[in-house]
Amino acid sequence: MMRQYELVERVQKYKPDVNEALLNKAYVYAMQKHGQQKRASGDPYISHPLEVAAILTEMHLDESTIAVALLHDTIEDTTATRAEIDDLFGEDIGALVEGLTKIRKLDLVTKKAKQAENLRKLLLAISDDVRVLMVKLADRLHNMRTLDHMSAEKRKRISEETMDIYAPLAGRMGMQDMREELENLSFRHINPEAFETVTRKLAELSTVNEGLVKKIEDELRELLSAEGLVNAQVKGRQKKPYSVFRKMQSKSLSFEQLSDVWGFRILVEDIPACYRALGIVHTRWRVVPGRFKDYISTPKQNDYQSIHTTIVGPSRQRIELQIRTRQMHEIAEYGIAAHTLYKDSVAAPGANSMAPGSNAYSWLRRTIESLAEGENAEEFLEYTKLELFQDQVFCFTPKGQLIALPRGATPIDFAYAVHTNIGDTCVGAKINGRIMPLVTRLTNGDEVEIIRSGVQVPPPAWEEIVVTGKARSAIRRATRAAIRKQYAGLGHRILERTFERAGKSFSREALKPSLHRLGQKEVEDAIALVGRGELSSLDVLRAVYPDHQDERVTPKPNTDEGWFNMPSATGMVFKLPQRRRDAETGAEGPEALPIRGLSGNAEVRFSPSGAVPGDRIVGIMEKDRGITIYPIQSATLQKFDDETDAWIDMRWDLDQANNTRFMARIAITALNEPGTLAEVAQAVSSSDINIRSLAMGRVAADFSELQLDLEVWDLRQLNHLIAQLRELPSVSSINRVFD
């Protein structure tokens, strides 16, 4: 176990003016509070916060953060209180310790909704002060290193949580070494058989190639030195087991098929030296096509910079090379911790100012902003996991702005990455000057120009095309808003007619004072609920005019008075409310809603068997479905006999220039002989009618039944076709079908 003076010496190596008193006080306080507590391994509990602090010293973090690491479990596991820590160490350290205490209570591997909400809290705590993330990741790393003393079930649960959340989060913050170690430790417990197999094969390969790594290092170093890069450092290493396993899985390769298990890094003094080293290596050895990436000119969002290339090097083996400066190497190893994260704690206690250019923390801030936009916790969880796990491609706007996107991203993702409004109004895209489909997958270096339209509404189907969380959540919001607008429009028309029948005038202003009676906060919400069928227009009328008596609403009579018999399409007879008499006789009042074509209308739809201009029609308001229009002969209407508020008077409103066809369904019983279907199809075609769908079935040995869904202009055209079909010698009977 590390001693007190050893911890201070670690910090002094990179911060000579360290506040020793603060570290000593935190050490002693944590030691006293944890007392005789033991870990599952039997070690003194104080060894855990000490090791967490040691991990943070490797990242060269300030003494305040080291003190927080020493204290991070005191509130949760001892008698320590926030007030006591504030008094002894200051409110800044107290707030960080409390933030870590709250995070520790989160169980991220639970039911989806709870997991999502807990992830919200985790990232919100991190956004307040990024030092919370540093300590939490170090805490998780040490716990993973000492996981063997837990039960198998708990080891797997904690490892899945680490692989799902903490390892990707470390990667997003640019802390690649920590991410790799977290992944490998998790891999060992999640899939122990695969871990053992890959580890054994890597050990065997290392034995076979003993001395090869040093030989390649020496040859690269001598080559660079001979060309003037005398200070270049070359370091080779074998890839980690999880990295190898992930590549085998993604590429469907066996271990023996892998050709780049070894990687080498070249560290030089400055950026010009990086490109000079690249030229030297490429001049000497052949490059593997398609394996070159320049993350210096276009850094990753987590600030990672390096040149990646693969060559066929010494011994005719494939070698992966990373060329970077020493400063870039620090950032690649420690990520966000490599930046000057905080101002001097004496001059500015608690300051949390990021150094300019830290894109990793900017990503975290953007993710937190999405909390305000997300409709629910599950959407936020999906958004965040999409952002955490995806590799990236780099594209450009016509003005040269760099946009980083996940692999597989489309121009729609690109549009939403630039601005939500640009995504919502996107109708097309030019990729490298050529108009391309919106489903095109973008590649590195593409220049994308978005074509926009002010009347565009994102289609719901886009949600299945995009890959970014931001685009997906924005499309959902836009779709919900569009549907709400449609239902509000329908609700407004229904309310206007309800108020008109009552001799009243409807307006949004008149509705405002009565919203509390309806349990709503916004006028548009109440109107949309009417359109969705979740709120009765009569209830709204009574809320606005409490003294109004609706004379049209009468209880169902016990006799047949006010009702009349109507034969259905199946021959059954059922009773119709008096309101349907107007529709049957064609006496449509001025309050009847007019309808035209309903293409793409989510609020009004036809019954499955359709209706055509000329049919007597009625609308039925159904919850969450808006209005469904039925011909008056439809047998389905009998289900709504007792729901008088659901009935909406409807009328056709078509002009002479109507170019919309409407669906009608007919059933034909015909002889089962060759040529019958051809005769029917010829009659339909000659009448300028389209067949939308056709179903056939045998009803007797010599007869078949054909059910046709037809697209016609109006009832006159449909009746003309039916008369023609009846004249065919092969047709036994024909009827209009009403569901």
Side-chain angles (χ1 to χ4, degrees), residues 151-215:
S151 66
E153 182 181 349
K154 196 168 185 179
R155 288 200 304 269
K156 185 175 182 182
R157 181 185 66 80
I158 294 173
S159 297
E160 287 174 348
E161 176 183 287
T162 302
M163 188 74 84
D164 258 1
I165 303 297
Y166 292 103
L169 196 52
R172 267 295 181 173
M173 295 296 104
M175 305 160 72
Q176 297 302 327
D177 279 7
M178 180 175 284
R179 175 179 185 165
E180 285 188 354
E181 186 172 357
L182 287 171
E183 286 175 339
N184 279 300
L185 291 168
S186 302
F187 177 42
R188 178 186 170 196
H189 298 290
I190 293 172
N191 195 340
E193 291 183 5
F195 176 82
E196 291 297 332
T197 300
V198 174
T199 302
R200 186 181 70 253
K201 286 185 174 293
L202 285 174
E204 293 171 357
L205 185 64
S206 182
T207 302
V208 171
N209 293 324
E210 187 175 3
L212 178 62
V213 174
K214 187 176 186 310
K215 176 184 176 184

Side-chain angles (χ1 to χ4, degrees), residues 632-659:
I632 201 66
Q633 300 95 328
S634 176
T636 304
L637 290 173
Q638 61 185 310
K639 296 193 304 183
F640 302 98
D641 280 350
D642 296 329
E643 302 177 30
T644 55
D645 284 349
W647 293 71
I648 306 292
D649 296 330
M650 308 294 293
R651 61 182 172 84
W652 296 100
D653 182 21
L654 300 174
D655 55 33
Q656 295 297 321
N658 170 51
N659 60 354

Side-chain angles (χ1 to χ4, degrees), residues 407-465:
R407 290 201 179 277
T410 65
I412 304 172
D413 294 292
F414 182 93
Y416 278 106
V418 175
H419 196 279
T420 300
N421 187 49
I422 293 177
D424 287 344
T425 56
C426 170
V427 293
K430 289 184 179 179
I431 302 176
N432 301 322
R434 297 175 56 198
I435 294 179
M436 300 291 287
L438 287 175
V439 296
T440 304
R441 302 298 177 188
L442 300 176
T443 58
N444 275 317
D446 281 345
E447 181 185 286
V448 184
E449 179 184 349
I450 300 300
I451 303 169
R452 303 171 63 191
S453 169
V455 297
Q456 163 71 352
V457 176
W462 277 8
E463 189 182 333
E464 304 302 320
I465 298 172

Side-chain angles (χ1 to χ4, degrees), residues 338-443:
H339 291 278
T340 307
L341 297 179
Y342 312 103
K343 297 177 181 177
D344 185 80
S345 58
V346 176
N352 186 17
S353 59
M354 289 298 303
S358 179
N359 294 318
Y361 199 55
S362 298
W363 169 83
L364 181 60
R365 284 294 185 188
R366 287 195 301 274
T367 302
I368 298 304
E369 287 172 7
S370 71
L371 287 171
E373 299 178 354
E375 185 73 12
N376 53 50
E378 287 89 341
E379 284 189 15
F380 174 71
L381 176 68
E382 178 187 22
Y383 169 88
T384 307
K385 285 192 173 182
L386 280 170
E387 297 297 311
L388 283 174
F389 284 104
Q390 299 282 1
D391 289 331
Q392 292 174 310
V393 295
F394 299 93
C395 303
F396 298 88
T397 67
K399 293 184 178 179
Q401 179 187 355
L402 177 65
I403 303 293
L405 295 166
R407 290 201 179 277
T410 65
I412 304 172
D413 294 292
F414 182 93
Y416 278 106
V418 175
H419 196 279
T420 300
N421 187 49
I422 293 177
D424 287 344
T425 56
C426 170
V427 293
K430 289 184 179 179
I431 302 176
N432 301 322
R434 297 175 56 198
I435 294 179
M436 300 291 287
L438 287 175
V439 296
T440 304
R441 302 298 177 188
L442 300 176
T443 58

Side-chain angles (χ1 to χ4, degrees), residues 433-637:
R434 297 175 56 198
I435 294 179
M436 300 291 287
L438 287 175
V439 296
T440 304
R441 302 298 177 188
L442 300 176
T443 58
N444 275 317
D446 281 345
E447 181 185 286
V448 184
E449 179 184 349
I450 300 300
I451 303 169
R452 303 171 63 191
S453 169
V455 297
Q456 163 71 352
V457 176
W462 277 8
E463 189 182 333
E464 304 302 320
I465 298 172
V466 298
V467 298
T468 59
K470 180 177 181 181
R472 199 165 287 179
S473 58
I475 291 165
R476 286 174 183 164
R477 285 196 305 274
T479 302
R480 283 192 293 263
I483 292 174
R484 180 176 180 270
K485 184 178 179 181
Q486 285 185 329
Y487 280 123
L490 173 61
H492 191 275
R493 296 197 294 274
I494 293 171
L495 288 170
E496 281 182 335
R497 284 156 178 77
T498 300
F499 276 61
E500 184 180 347
R501 288 197 300 268
K504 307 291 185 181
S505 177
F506 172 75
S507 70
R508 284 174 164 80
E509 292 299 320
L511 182 55
K512 277 184 181 179
S514 308
L515 287 173
H516 66 281
R517 297 192 186 103
L518 300 170
Q520 302 300 317
K521 294 182 179 180
E522 300 291 337
V523 171
E524 288 300 313
D525 290 339
I527 296 175
L529 285 175
V530 174
R532 292 175 68 91
E534 297 178 15
L535 180 63
S536 168
S537 60
L538 291 175
D539 288 341
V540 177
L541 176 64
R542 296 185 191 108
V544 178
Y545 298 103
D547 298 331
H548 173 71
Q549 297 296 323
D550 188 355
E551 298 176 357
R552 295 191 60 179
V553 179
T554 57
K556 180 178 177 181
N558 294 325
T559 67
D560 286 347
E561 182 181 356
W563 295 65
F564 67 97
N565 293 333
M566 176 71 193
S568 72
T570 60
M572 296 174 61
V573 177
F574 57 93
K575 294 185 179 297
L576 296 173
Q578 183 63 37
R579 289 184 61 187
R580 283 175 62 176
R581 182 174 298 173
D582 293 339
E584 173 63 17
T585 60
E588 296 165 327
E591 72 277 6
L593 283 173
I595 64 165
R596 300 187 181 219
L598 303 182
S599 176
N601 197 332
E603 64 196 29
V604 183
R605 59 183 56 78
F606 286 115
S607 68
S609 60
V612 301
D615 283 335
R616 307 299 187 192
I617 55 174
V618 66
I620 297 295
M621 172 68 73
E622 298 179 79
K623 185 177 179 180
D624 291 331
R625 289 177 56 85
I627 292 176
T628 303
I629 297 172
Y630 294 91
I632 201 66
Q633 300 95 328
S634 176
T636 304
L637 290 173

